[in-house]
Amino acid sequence: MTSELSEKILEYLSKCDEIDSLDLAKIFQEDHQKVIGAIKSLQAIGNLINANQVNTKRWELTEEGQHVLKFGSHEAAVYNAISENGSPQAEIMKTVTYAKVGLSKALAAGWVEIDKNDKSVVKRKVASIIDTPQVHLMNLSEVPENIKKEYKKRKFLQEVVIKSVLLSKGESFSTKVEKQEADVTADLLVNDAWKEKKFKPYNFDALGSALDVGHLHPLLKVRAEFRKIFLEMGFTEMPTNNYVESSFWNFDALFQPQQHPARDAHDTFFVAEPKLSTCFPENYLKKVKEVHSVGGYGSQGYRYDWKFEEAQKNLLRTHTTAVSARMLYKLMQDGEFKPVKYFSIDRVFRNETLDATHLAEFHQIEGVVADFDLSLGDLIGTLYEFFSKLGITQLEFKPAYNPYTEPSMEIFCFHNGLGKWIEIGNSGIFRPEMLLPMGLPENVNVIAWGLSLERPTMIKYGLNNIRDLVGPKVDLQMVHDNPLCRLDKNDPRSVQEKRRKSDELSKSIVNQRQETCVQDIVIFCDPKYPLYTLETLLSIFKRDFSISVSVHSHSSVQKLPDHLVEFCSEFRTSRKNVDFEITFIWKIVGVDPQMQISAIREFSGETNIARFLNRLVEERKPNLLRYESNGALYAYQIDAFLDRINESLHCLDSKNKLKNLRALIKGQYLMGDEISIADIVLQSICRNLGK
Ligand code: PHE
């Protein structure tokens, strides 16, 4: 059903050829937005009206402009404030708004002067003035454009763009609008009445209304993700519902000596009330005391006077490994050893110096696997499996030290989004000094690892201050606005993994198509990162191959920048039976262009596309642009350069990194005297960055 306003609009339009929505708003004394709403609903009813969006620029007074309109220009205000015999500058400065600008303008206009005898006094220089700016602002339509620009500079005026809609009669214009049905009802079905009715089309562009539901904090969402990974891998969650722990379970059970600096109040929060724990498994406690003070199980221990009072001290647990220790002890109390996989994600506390990435409390994610004869290889394999479920496939390990694990390893991963290696966790194999007093069989090993929940969450959500994630400064809107579901933009596959896949793919395609011509190549490219590599490559290939490129714009690209209008223009012929037929589509795809071959295979990234095209021509003309035809070592070196270029392109400081890469060029090109795709890609990317 059309509203009254829609009908009024049609009525009005029936009497004229064209009318602007802004004028309609004035005529009907309605809010412009409402008029637009009514026009939209008319547009939905077929060809009733034609509506074209128009942008009109209009000059508007700024707040300062309004002031000038009311009280005169700043220079006039200064002039008027000066009394007949002159006034002290200081007084003018105090009483006149915008006095500073006003005085310099009035001096420049020759309206006022500084008293030659007393420099602190200003005097009028002329008997009367005409305040042109004020006169101009009173009637803007008379003011020439260049003077308006002058007032814009003085911040009296601003140019605003007003969007409106120009209406004219459509093909099936009528002032009568038939009511459109929104639903097929039982009534309409009876007697086939629906056949005569018009139905409102679906509006697929309408946005759904925001869900009126609670929103999970990012930490909870990432926690759920980790939990799911552990559960998928068959781990059981440990009960971590005790923030307060005794030093015994937090440190002693883990073979952490009582003099260890982490056990100092500088690092650990001790609890004042209740200060001490009293209930410990006696037998086990004795064994722990023994292994610390005199050793056992093949270990010489730390050889110090182990004190029960120290073990009794209550604290806020500094790691969830305290819970793992309790669980492993409990496992043996339940009877015979059975292999287990445990995990926990919960809060721990440390007396840290607070900064942008550290708080005194955070969450730890911990995984523990106990089984017969586990080795370091099992730990590494498990870590690969665990992190690959997060999309992290490149790991490196660095020897580390924990009192309770031997060997211990810090875990690093390559983060594609950040373009660098970052530390993500700590791991190791629990020491016999920890496990044997609990009664675990000698041939059982326990591998374990831990990481913080906050760090991956901050990276995922692009936060660089932990206070934006935890604590009183958290912006609840941030929690509310975060998507319900995240499809990470950075393909989590590592750079090398991506390369390997695309190499395999391009080799197989090259093999399939050696003799035939290559058609059906579609490239999607973001105008922000033009694929200049393609232009350069084609200009090399054209010596021996016939090429045709058709260029299009996807609807995500509103307006193509002028400098791209001529992109690949040299190859835009519509010849058939060419060697290369490329469809090139400008589309907002981000930094990595996408390439599809025969609509079935796809790979992404400027370097990968360059490799593929190079291989394609090399199969038939090995000397055109040398790559693999020059031997594996040569190709390997080019690949290494391409990888570095690709990595730099994805890092924050890409400009400098690429500059450093360029500095590597010793001869004329990266590979010495002969140009290669690495040079072409490097130049292309540098050309983009220079823009
Ligand atoms: N407890 C260690 C930490 O707090 C993490 C860890 C757990 C290390 C298990 C090794 C084994 O950093």
Side-chain angles (χ1 to χ4, degrees), residues 254 318-322 324 348 350 362 364-368 402 404-405 407-409 425-430 447-451:
L254 291 162
T318 63
H319 52 185
T320 44
T321 319
S324 305
V348 300
R350 289 185 194 172
F362 62 98
Q364 246 180 9
I365 303 166
E366 183 151 324
V368 178
N402 296 308
Y404 39 92
T405 52
S408 312
M409 306 187 302
N426 184 2
S427 65
I429 302 184
F430 283 138
I447 58 176
W449 69 99
L451 54 145

PDB file of all heavy atoms in Angstrom, residues 254 318-322 324 348 350 362 364-368 402 404-405 407-409 425-430 447-451, ligand 1:
ATOM      1  N   LEU A 254      55.942 -29.511  41.310  1.00  0.00           N
ATOM      2  CA  LEU A 254      56.518 -29.365  39.968  1.00  0.00           C
ATOM      3  C   LEU A 254      58.051 -29.293  40.018  1.00  0.00           C
ATOM      4  O   LEU A 254      58.681 -28.855  39.059  1.00  0.00           O
ATOM      5  CB  LEU A 254      55.954 -28.118  39.300  1.00  0.00           C
ATOM      6  CG  LEU A 254      54.468 -28.221  38.934  1.00  0.00           C
ATOM      7  CD1 LEU A 254      53.877 -26.859  38.684  1.00  0.00           C
ATOM      8  CD2 LEU A 254      54.296 -29.102  37.710  1.00  0.00           C
ATOM      9  N   THR A 318      49.963 -19.305  39.811  1.00  0.00           N
ATOM     10  CA  THR A 318      50.716 -18.559  38.794  1.00  0.00           C
ATOM     11  C   THR A 318      50.648 -19.255  37.444  1.00  0.00           C
ATOM     12  O   THR A 318      51.015 -18.693  36.430  1.00  0.00           O
ATOM     13  CB  THR A 318      52.194 -18.402  39.194  1.00  0.00           C
ATOM     14  OG1 THR A 318      52.779 -19.708  39.259  1.00  0.00           O
ATOM     15  CG2 THR A 318      52.326 -17.694  40.525  1.00  0.00           C
ATOM     16  N   HIS A 319      50.234 -20.501  37.440  1.00  0.00           N
ATOM     17  CA  HIS A 319      49.996 -21.205  36.177  1.00  0.00           C
ATOM     18  C   HIS A 319      49.011 -22.349  36.394  1.00  0.00           C
ATOM     19  O   HIS A 319      48.820 -22.817  37.514  1.00  0.00           O
ATOM     20  CB  HIS A 319      51.301 -21.718  35.537  1.00  0.00           C
ATOM     21  CG  HIS A 319      52.166 -22.531  36.450  1.00  0.00           C
ATOM     22  ND1 HIS A 319      53.405 -22.982  36.094  1.00  0.00           N
ATOM     23  CD2 HIS A 319      51.968 -22.980  37.722  1.00  0.00           C
ATOM     24  CE1 HIS A 319      53.940 -23.668  37.098  1.00  0.00           C
ATOM     25  NE2 HIS A 319      53.088 -23.676  38.080  1.00  0.00           N
ATOM     26  N   THR A 320      48.384 -22.777  35.299  1.00  0.00           N
ATOM     27  CA  THR A 320      47.421 -23.874  35.425  1.00  0.00           C
ATOM     28  C   THR A 320      48.145 -25.217  35.505  1.00  0.00           C
ATOM     29  O   THR A 320      47.504 -26.252  35.691  1.00  0.00           O
ATOM     30  CB  THR A 320      46.437 -23.872  34.234  1.00  0.00           C
ATOM     31  OG1 THR A 320      47.180 -23.659  33.036  1.00  0.00           O
ATOM     32  CG2 THR A 320      45.385 -22.803  34.389  1.00  0.00           C
ATOM     33  N   THR A 321      49.478 -25.179  35.388  1.00  0.00           N
ATOM     34  CA  THR A 321      50.240 -26.427  35.511  1.00  0.00           C
ATOM     35  C   THR A 321      50.077 -27.004  36.926  1.00  0.00           C
ATOM     36  O   THR A 321      50.257 -28.206  37.144  1.00  0.00           O
ATOM     37  CB  THR A 321      51.720 -26.166  35.166  1.00  0.00           C
ATOM     38  OG1 THR A 321      51.765 -25.294  34.039  1.00  0.00           O
ATOM     39  CG2 THR A 321      52.448 -27.441  34.802  1.00  0.00           C
ATOM     40  N   ALA A 322      49.692 -26.130  37.885  1.00  0.00           N
ATOM     41  CA  ALA A 322      49.390 -26.617  39.233  1.00  0.00           C
ATOM     42  C   ALA A 322      48.234 -27.619  39.165  1.00  0.00           C
ATOM     43  O   ALA A 322      48.256 -28.663  39.839  1.00  0.00           O
ATOM     44  CB  ALA A 322      49.013 -25.443  40.130  1.00  0.00           C
ATOM     45  N   SER A 324      47.408 -29.338  36.486  1.00  0.00           N
ATOM     46  CA  SER A 324      47.892 -30.532  35.786  1.00  0.00           C
ATOM     47  C   SER A 324      48.596 -31.453  36.778  1.00  0.00           C
ATOM     48  O   SER A 324      48.435 -32.687  36.719  1.00  0.00           O
ATOM     49  CB  SER A 324      48.849 -30.134  34.660  1.00  0.00           C
ATOM     50  OG  SER A 324      48.233 -29.214  33.806  1.00  0.00           O
ATOM     51  N   VAL A 348      45.071 -17.234  35.551  1.00  0.00           N
ATOM     52  CA  VAL A 348      46.244 -17.323  36.427  1.00  0.00           C
ATOM     53  C   VAL A 348      46.673 -15.901  36.794  1.00  0.00           C
ATOM     54  O   VAL A 348      46.205 -14.938  36.197  1.00  0.00           O
ATOM     55  CB  VAL A 348      47.404 -18.079  35.744  1.00  0.00           C
ATOM     56  CG1 VAL A 348      47.001 -19.484  35.382  1.00  0.00           C
ATOM     57  CG2 VAL A 348      47.889 -17.330  34.515  1.00  0.00           C
ATOM     58  N   ARG A 350      49.896 -13.190  38.120  1.00  0.00           N
ATOM     59  CA  ARG A 350      51.326 -12.949  38.332  1.00  0.00           C
ATOM     60  C   ARG A 350      51.549 -11.499  38.699  1.00  0.00           C
ATOM     61  O   ARG A 350      50.889 -10.610  38.158  1.00  0.00           O
ATOM     62  CB  ARG A 350      52.135 -13.275  37.080  1.00  0.00           C
ATOM     63  CG  ARG A 350      52.183 -14.771  36.857  1.00  0.00           C
ATOM     64  CD  ARG A 350      53.045 -15.168  35.717  1.00  0.00           C
ATOM     65  NE  ARG A 350      52.763 -16.560  35.388  1.00  0.00           N
ATOM     66  CZ  ARG A 350      53.236 -17.193  34.334  1.00  0.00           C
ATOM     67  NH1 ARG A 350      54.038 -16.565  33.504  1.00  0.00           N
ATOM     68  NH2 ARG A 350      52.939 -18.450  34.120  1.00  0.00           N
ATOM     69  N   PHE A 362      45.764 -13.239  33.725  1.00  0.00           N
ATOM     70  CA  PHE A 362      45.467 -13.587  32.336  1.00  0.00           C
ATOM     71  C   PHE A 362      45.001 -15.044  32.281  1.00  0.00           C
ATOM     72  O   PHE A 362      44.879 -15.682  33.326  1.00  0.00           O
ATOM     73  CB  PHE A 362      46.677 -13.340  31.444  1.00  0.00           C
ATOM     74  CG  PHE A 362      47.903 -14.156  31.777  1.00  0.00           C
ATOM     75  CD1 PHE A 362      48.196 -15.314  31.075  1.00  0.00           C
ATOM     76  CD2 PHE A 362      48.758 -13.767  32.794  1.00  0.00           C
ATOM     77  CE1 PHE A 362      49.331 -16.072  31.368  1.00  0.00           C
ATOM     78  CE2 PHE A 362      49.891 -14.516  33.099  1.00  0.00           C
ATOM     79  CZ  PHE A 362      50.178 -15.662  32.386  1.00  0.00           C
ATOM     80  N   GLN A 364      45.414 -18.960  30.874  1.00  0.00           N
ATOM     81  CA  GLN A 364      46.363 -19.896  30.283  1.00  0.00           C
ATOM     82  C   GLN A 364      45.621 -21.050  29.631  1.00  0.00           C
ATOM     83  O   GLN A 364      44.610 -21.519  30.149  1.00  0.00           O
ATOM     84  CB  GLN A 364      47.276 -20.453  31.368  1.00  0.00           C
ATOM     85  CG  GLN A 364      48.685 -20.015  31.170  1.00  0.00           C
ATOM     86  CD  GLN A 364      49.624 -20.541  32.210  1.00  0.00           C
ATOM     87  OE1 GLN A 364      49.275 -21.390  33.023  1.00  0.00           O
ATOM     88  NE2 GLN A 364      50.828 -20.026  32.173  1.00  0.00           N
ATOM     89  N   ILE A 365      46.156 -21.437  28.490  1.00  0.00           N
ATOM     90  CA  ILE A 365      45.613 -22.604  27.803  1.00  0.00           C
ATOM     91  C   ILE A 365      46.662 -23.689  27.985  1.00  0.00           C
ATOM     92  O   ILE A 365      47.838 -23.438  27.725  1.00  0.00           O
ATOM     93  CB  ILE A 365      45.449 -22.296  26.300  1.00  0.00           C
ATOM     94  CG1 ILE A 365      44.549 -21.082  26.105  1.00  0.00           C
ATOM     95  CG2 ILE A 365      44.961 -23.512  25.540  1.00  0.00           C
ATOM     96  CD1 ILE A 365      44.609 -20.519  24.699  1.00  0.00           C
ATOM     97  N   GLU A 366      46.278 -24.842  28.450  1.00  0.00           N
ATOM     98  CA  GLU A 366      47.296 -25.860  28.710  1.00  0.00           C
ATOM     99  C   GLU A 366      46.838 -27.222  28.202  1.00  0.00           C
ATOM    100  O   GLU A 366      45.678 -27.594  28.368  1.00  0.00           O
ATOM    101  CB  GLU A 366      47.575 -25.914  30.223  1.00  0.00           C
ATOM    102  CG  GLU A 366      48.665 -26.876  30.594  1.00  0.00           C
ATOM    103  CD  GLU A 366      49.391 -26.444  31.873  1.00  0.00           C
ATOM    104  OE1 GLU A 366      49.572 -25.234  32.088  1.00  0.00           O
ATOM    105  OE2 GLU A 366      49.757 -27.341  32.640  1.00  0.00           O
ATOM    106  N   GLY A 367      47.742 -27.924  27.582  1.00  0.00           N
ATOM    107  CA  GLY A 367      47.448 -29.278  27.120  1.00  0.00           C
ATOM    108  C   GLY A 367      48.458 -30.246  27.722  1.00  0.00           C
ATOM    109  O   GLY A 367      49.637 -29.923  27.830  1.00  0.00           O
ATOM    110  N   VAL A 368      47.987 -31.421  28.137  1.00  0.00           N
ATOM    111  CA  VAL A 368      48.854 -32.422  28.768  1.00  0.00           C
ATOM    112  C   VAL A 368      48.509 -33.799  28.197  1.00  0.00           C
ATOM    113  O   VAL A 368      47.336 -34.154  28.129  1.00  0.00           O
ATOM    114  CB  VAL A 368      48.599 -32.454  30.302  1.00  0.00           C
ATOM    115  CG1 VAL A 368      49.459 -33.512  30.971  1.00  0.00           C
ATOM    116  CG2 VAL A 368      48.838 -31.097  30.934  1.00  0.00           C
ATOM    117  N   ASN A 402      62.352 -24.771  31.900  1.00  0.00           N
ATOM    118  CA  ASN A 402      61.348 -24.735  32.965  1.00  0.00           C
ATOM    119  C   ASN A 402      61.844 -25.694  34.036  1.00  0.00           C
ATOM    120  O   ASN A 402      62.396 -26.746  33.705  1.00  0.00           O
ATOM    121  CB  ASN A 402      59.996 -25.275  32.481  1.00  0.00           C
ATOM    122  CG  ASN A 402      59.390 -24.434  31.381  1.00  0.00           C
ATOM    123  OD1 ASN A 402      59.256 -23.223  31.523  1.00  0.00           O
ATOM    124  ND2 ASN A 402      59.015 -25.072  30.285  1.00  0.00           N
ATOM    125  N   TYR A 404      60.246 -27.765  35.642  1.00  0.00           N
ATOM    126  CA  TYR A 404      59.490 -29.018  35.653  1.00  0.00           C
ATOM    127  C   TYR A 404      59.531 -29.772  34.336  1.00  0.00           C
ATOM    128  O   TYR A 404      58.958 -30.851  34.223  1.00  0.00           O
ATOM    129  CB  TYR A 404      58.039 -28.763  36.068  1.00  0.00           C
ATOM    130  CG  TYR A 404      57.477 -27.475  35.491  1.00  0.00           C
ATOM    131  CD1 TYR A 404      56.806 -27.442  34.287  1.00  0.00           C
ATOM    132  CD2 TYR A 404      57.668 -26.275  36.172  1.00  0.00           C
ATOM    133  CE1 TYR A 404      56.324 -26.256  33.770  1.00  0.00           C
ATOM    134  CE2 TYR A 404      57.191 -25.079  35.658  1.00  0.00           C
ATOM    135  CZ  TYR A 404      56.524 -25.069  34.463  1.00  0.00           C
ATOM    136  OH  TYR A 404      56.076 -23.895  33.951  1.00  0.00           O
ATOM    137  N   THR A 405      60.138 -29.210  33.279  1.00  0.00           N
ATOM    138  CA  THR A 405      60.216 -29.955  32.015  1.00  0.00           C
ATOM    139  C   THR A 405      61.658 -30.069  31.541  1.00  0.00           C
ATOM    140  O   THR A 405      62.474 -29.191  31.761  1.00  0.00           O
ATOM    141  CB  THR A 405      59.382 -29.279  30.903  1.00  0.00           C
ATOM    142  OG1 THR A 405      59.758 -27.919  30.810  1.00  0.00           O
ATOM    143  CG2 THR A 405      57.906 -29.384  31.162  1.00  0.00           C
ATOM    144  N   PRO A 407      63.329 -32.111  27.927  1.00  0.00           N
ATOM    145  CA  PRO A 407      63.655 -30.781  27.430  1.00  0.00           C
ATOM    146  C   PRO A 407      62.445 -29.845  27.424  1.00  0.00           C
ATOM    147  O   PRO A 407      61.301 -30.295  27.543  1.00  0.00           O
ATOM    148  CB  PRO A 407      64.101 -31.072  25.994  1.00  0.00           C
ATOM    149  CG  PRO A 407      63.429 -32.346  25.627  1.00  0.00           C
ATOM    150  CD  PRO A 407      63.291 -33.132  26.882  1.00  0.00           C
ATOM    151  N   SER A 408      62.737 -28.546  27.277  1.00  0.00           N
ATOM    152  CA  SER A 408      61.674 -27.537  27.201  1.00  0.00           C
ATOM    153  C   SER A 408      61.855 -26.780  25.889  1.00  0.00           C
ATOM    154  O   SER A 408      62.984 -26.591  25.438  1.00  0.00           O
ATOM    155  CB  SER A 408      61.785 -26.536  28.345  1.00  0.00           C
ATOM    156  OG  SER A 408      61.962 -27.194  29.572  1.00  0.00           O
ATOM    157  N   MET A 409      60.747 -26.363  25.324  1.00  0.00           N
ATOM    158  CA  MET A 409      60.841 -25.625  24.055  1.00  0.00           C
ATOM    159  C   MET A 409      59.879 -24.448  24.046  1.00  0.00           C
ATOM    160  O   MET A 409      58.701 -24.609  24.394  1.00  0.00           O
ATOM    161  CB  MET A 409      60.439 -26.517  22.879  1.00  0.00           C
ATOM    162  CG  MET A 409      61.168 -27.826  22.758  1.00  0.00           C
ATOM    163  SD  MET A 409      60.729 -28.641  21.211  1.00  0.00           S
ATOM    164  CE  MET A 409      58.971 -28.784  21.342  1.00  0.00           C
ATOM    165  N   GLY A 425      54.055 -19.858  22.618  1.00  0.00           N
ATOM    166  CA  GLY A 425      53.835 -20.726  23.772  1.00  0.00           C
ATOM    167  C   GLY A 425      55.106 -21.366  24.275  1.00  0.00           C
ATOM    168  O   GLY A 425      56.203 -21.115  23.789  1.00  0.00           O
ATOM    169  N   ASN A 426      54.905 -22.200  25.278  1.00  0.00           N
ATOM    170  CA  ASN A 426      55.993 -22.841  25.989  1.00  0.00           C
ATOM    171  C   ASN A 426      55.601 -24.312  26.123  1.00  0.00           C
ATOM    172  O   ASN A 426      54.420 -24.641  26.181  1.00  0.00           O
ATOM    173  CB  ASN A 426      56.083 -22.139  27.343  1.00  0.00           C
ATOM    174  CG  ASN A 426      57.241 -22.619  28.181  1.00  0.00           C
ATOM    175  OD1 ASN A 426      58.028 -23.470  27.767  1.00  0.00           O
ATOM    176  ND2 ASN A 426      57.338 -22.072  29.371  1.00  0.00           N
ATOM    177  N   SER A 427      56.591 -25.197  26.144  1.00  0.00           N
ATOM    178  CA  SER A 427      56.221 -26.613  26.182  1.00  0.00           C
ATOM    179  C   SER A 427      57.369 -27.448  26.729  1.00  0.00           C
ATOM    180  O   SER A 427      58.459 -26.928  26.961  1.00  0.00           O
ATOM    181  CB  SER A 427      55.906 -27.080  24.758  1.00  0.00           C
ATOM    182  OG  SER A 427      57.087 -27.017  23.975  1.00  0.00           O
ATOM    183  N   GLY A 428      57.122 -28.728  26.899  1.00  0.00           N
ATOM    184  CA  GLY A 428      58.203 -29.602  27.344  1.00  0.00           C
ATOM    185  C   GLY A 428      57.692 -30.968  27.752  1.00  0.00           C
ATOM    186  O   GLY A 428      56.507 -31.281  27.631  1.00  0.00           O
ATOM    187  N   ILE A 429      58.643 -31.785  28.240  1.00  0.00           N
ATOM    188  CA  ILE A 429      58.303 -33.113  28.764  1.00  0.00           C
ATOM    189  C   ILE A 429      58.543 -33.068  30.269  1.00  0.00           C
ATOM    190  O   ILE A 429      59.634 -32.677  30.716  1.00  0.00           O
ATOM    191  CB  ILE A 429      59.198 -34.187  28.114  1.00  0.00           C
ATOM    192  CG1 ILE A 429      59.021 -34.127  26.587  1.00  0.00           C
ATOM    193  CG2 ILE A 429      58.880 -35.565  28.668  1.00  0.00           C
ATOM    194  CD1 ILE A 429      59.785 -35.202  25.837  1.00  0.00           C
ATOM    195  N   PHE A 430      57.516 -33.406  31.035  1.00  0.00           N
ATOM    196  CA  PHE A 430      57.652 -33.302  32.494  1.00  0.00           C
ATOM    197  C   PHE A 430      58.809 -34.162  32.996  1.00  0.00           C
ATOM    198  O   PHE A 430      59.022 -35.293  32.529  1.00  0.00           O
ATOM    199  CB  PHE A 430      56.343 -33.695  33.188  1.00  0.00           C
ATOM    200  CG  PHE A 430      55.284 -32.625  33.119  1.00  0.00           C
ATOM    201  CD1 PHE A 430      53.960 -32.947  32.855  1.00  0.00           C
ATOM    202  CD2 PHE A 430      55.603 -31.275  33.334  1.00  0.00           C
ATOM    203  CE1 PHE A 430      52.974 -31.963  32.793  1.00  0.00           C
ATOM    204  CE2 PHE A 430      54.625 -30.284  33.277  1.00  0.00           C
ATOM    205  CZ  PHE A 430      53.323 -30.630  32.997  1.00  0.00           C
ATOM    206  N   ILE A 447      53.896 -35.194  27.999  1.00  0.00           N
ATOM    207  CA  ILE A 447      54.238 -33.995  27.235  1.00  0.00           C
ATOM    208  C   ILE A 447      53.187 -32.932  27.532  1.00  0.00           C
ATOM    209  O   ILE A 447      52.029 -33.253  27.807  1.00  0.00           O
ATOM    210  CB  ILE A 447      54.299 -34.286  25.712  1.00  0.00           C
ATOM    211  CG1 ILE A 447      52.953 -34.854  25.214  1.00  0.00           C
ATOM    212  CG2 ILE A 447      55.437 -35.242  25.395  1.00  0.00           C
ATOM    213  CD1 ILE A 447      52.910 -35.063  23.708  1.00  0.00           C
ATOM    214  N   ALA A 448      53.607 -31.672  27.526  1.00  0.00           N
ATOM    215  CA  ALA A 448      52.655 -30.613  27.892  1.00  0.00           C
ATOM    216  C   ALA A 448      53.052 -29.305  27.238  1.00  0.00           C
ATOM    217  O   ALA A 448      54.207 -29.108  26.873  1.00  0.00           O
ATOM    218  CB  ALA A 448      52.623 -30.444  29.409  1.00  0.00           C
ATOM    219  N   TRP A 449      52.087 -28.428  27.082  1.00  0.00           N
ATOM    220  CA  TRP A 449      52.377 -27.101  26.548  1.00  0.00           C
ATOM    221  C   TRP A 449      51.380 -26.089  27.090  1.00  0.00           C
ATOM    222  O   TRP A 449      50.298 -26.467  27.557  1.00  0.00           O
ATOM    223  CB  TRP A 449      52.367 -27.101  25.025  1.00  0.00           C
ATOM    224  CG  TRP A 449      51.025 -27.303  24.377  1.00  0.00           C
ATOM    225  CD1 TRP A 449      50.208 -26.341  23.882  1.00  0.00           C
ATOM    226  CD2 TRP A 449      50.348 -28.542  24.161  1.00  0.00           C
ATOM    227  NE1 TRP A 449      49.072 -26.896  23.365  1.00  0.00           N
ATOM    228  CE2 TRP A 449      49.128 -28.249  23.514  1.00  0.00           C
ATOM    229  CE3 TRP A 449      50.658 -29.869  24.449  1.00  0.00           C
ATOM    230  CZ2 TRP A 449      48.207 -29.231  23.163  1.00  0.00           C
ATOM    231  CZ3 TRP A 449      49.739 -30.848  24.086  1.00  0.00           C
ATOM    232  CH2 TRP A 449      48.538 -30.536  23.446  1.00  0.00           C
ATOM    233  N   GLY A 450      51.789 -24.847  27.081  1.00  0.00           N
ATOM    234  CA  GLY A 450      50.903 -23.809  27.595  1.00  0.00           C
ATOM    235  C   GLY A 450      51.059 -22.538  26.783  1.00  0.00           C
ATOM    236  O   GLY A 450      52.119 -22.271  26.221  1.00  0.00           O
ATOM    237  N   LEU A 451      49.961 -21.793  26.671  1.00  0.00           N
ATOM    238  CA  LEU A 451      50.033 -20.490  26.005  1.00  0.00           C
ATOM    239  C   LEU A 451      48.985 -19.587  26.628  1.00  0.00           C
ATOM    240  O   LEU A 451      48.124 -20.050  27.376  1.00  0.00           O
ATOM    241  CB  LEU A 451      49.813 -20.605  24.492  1.00  0.00           C
ATOM    242  CG  LEU A 451      48.572 -21.285  23.976  1.00  0.00           C
ATOM    243  CD1 LEU A 451      48.107 -20.610  22.709  1.00  0.00           C
ATOM    244  CD2 LEU A 451      48.875 -22.730  23.694  1.00  0.00           C
TER     245      LEU A 451
HETATM  246  N1  PHE B   1      53.474 -23.417  32.949  1.00  0.00           N
HETATM  247  C1  PHE B   1      54.133 -22.828  31.806  1.00  0.00           C
HETATM  248  C2  PHE B   1      53.999 -21.323  31.862  1.00  0.00           C
HETATM  249  O1  PHE B   1      53.410 -20.822  32.770  1.00  0.00           O
HETATM  250  C3  PHE B   1      53.588 -23.342  30.542  1.00  0.00           C
HETATM  251  C4  PHE B   1      53.944 -24.777  30.348  1.00  0.00           C
HETATM  252  C5  PHE B   1      53.008 -25.734  30.558  1.00  0.00           C
HETATM  253  C6  PHE B   1      55.226 -25.135  29.988  1.00  0.00           C
HETATM  254  C7  PHE B   1      53.336 -27.059  30.378  1.00  0.00           C
HETATM  255  C8  PHE B   1      55.549 -26.444  29.801  1.00  0.00           C
HETATM  256  C9  PHE B   1      54.608 -27.387  30.005  1.00  0.00           C
HETATM  257  O2  PHE B   1      54.471 -20.613  31.000  1.00  0.00           O
END
